[in-house]
Structure formats: C-alpha cells, structure tokens
Amino acid sequence: MEVSAAVKTVLTEFPTLTNLKASGVIGVSHGEEGWVVSIEMLEKKSIPDSMDVLGLYEVKVNDHGKIVDFSRVKLRKRCDTVEA
C-alpha cells in the first residue's frame, strides 16, 4: 500500500469512527505493521476559531488498507504554538 492510499483511508474512514471532523494530516510514517498517520481532529468548535480544540491522533493502517488501531496523543487549542 502506498502512502497516498493510507492517508486517503484515514481521511475518509477515521472521521466516521470518531464522529469528529478532520482538520489536517500532520505526519505519516511507515513501520513494520503498516502506516502510522498523524491527524488533527476538531474536538470542539469555538468562537473565535482560534480557540477550537484539536486532538492529535495517531492512526495505524495495515498493508491491506484497514484501520487497525488509533490513539489520541494530545489536545491543543488551534491558537497554541505546535512544539517542534
């Protein structure tokens, strides 16, 4: 499976699993068991938008294109600076 297919799987299937809206893919890596896609999801919509709460998730996709595991790594406000 190619990286683009793994990202597409996460963008289309993961929001239906969590009932959250995707904000953006921020990283992808390949491991022994498939792909790990890091994605930010909108946890709580706020006014102004800079106060939205985003959850960073790591989603594992196997070589057959199936989501096999995910976990929320952290939460942040959209206006917070992302750590290096």
Side-chain angles (χ1 to χ4, degrees), residues 9-40:
T9 295
V10 171
L11 286 173
T12 57
E13 294 181 21
F14 190 61
T16 62
L17 290 174
T18 60
N19 202 29
L20 299 171
K21 182 180 176 184
S23 179
V25 173
I26 62 169
V28 181
S29 63
H30 192 268
E32 293 178 14
E33 299 175 11
W35 293 96
V36 178
V37 179
S38 299
I39 185 170
E40 285 188 322

Side-chain angles (χ1 to χ4, degrees), residues 6-72:
V7 169
K8 184 176 180 179
T9 295
V10 171
L11 286 173
T12 57
E13 294 181 21
F14 190 61
T16 62
L17 290 174
T18 60
N19 202 29
L20 299 171
K21 182 180 176 184
S23 179
V25 173
I26 62 169
V28 181
S29 63
H30 192 268
E32 293 178 14
E33 299 175 11
W35 293 96
V36 178
V37 179
S38 299
I39 185 170
E40 285 188 322
M41 304 294 287
L42 180 62
E43 297 270 345
K44 180 179 179 252
K45 181 75 177 148
S46 300
I47 298 174
D49 290 346
S50 61
M51 296 305 288
D52 290 349
V53 177
L54 302 174
L56 172 61
Y57 288 83
E58 288 185 349
V59 183
K60 294 179 183 176
V61 181
N62 67 17
D63 289 329
H64 302 290
K66 302 293 182 192
I67 294 174
V68 294
D69 187 31
F70 69 88
S71 61
R72 183 171 64 192

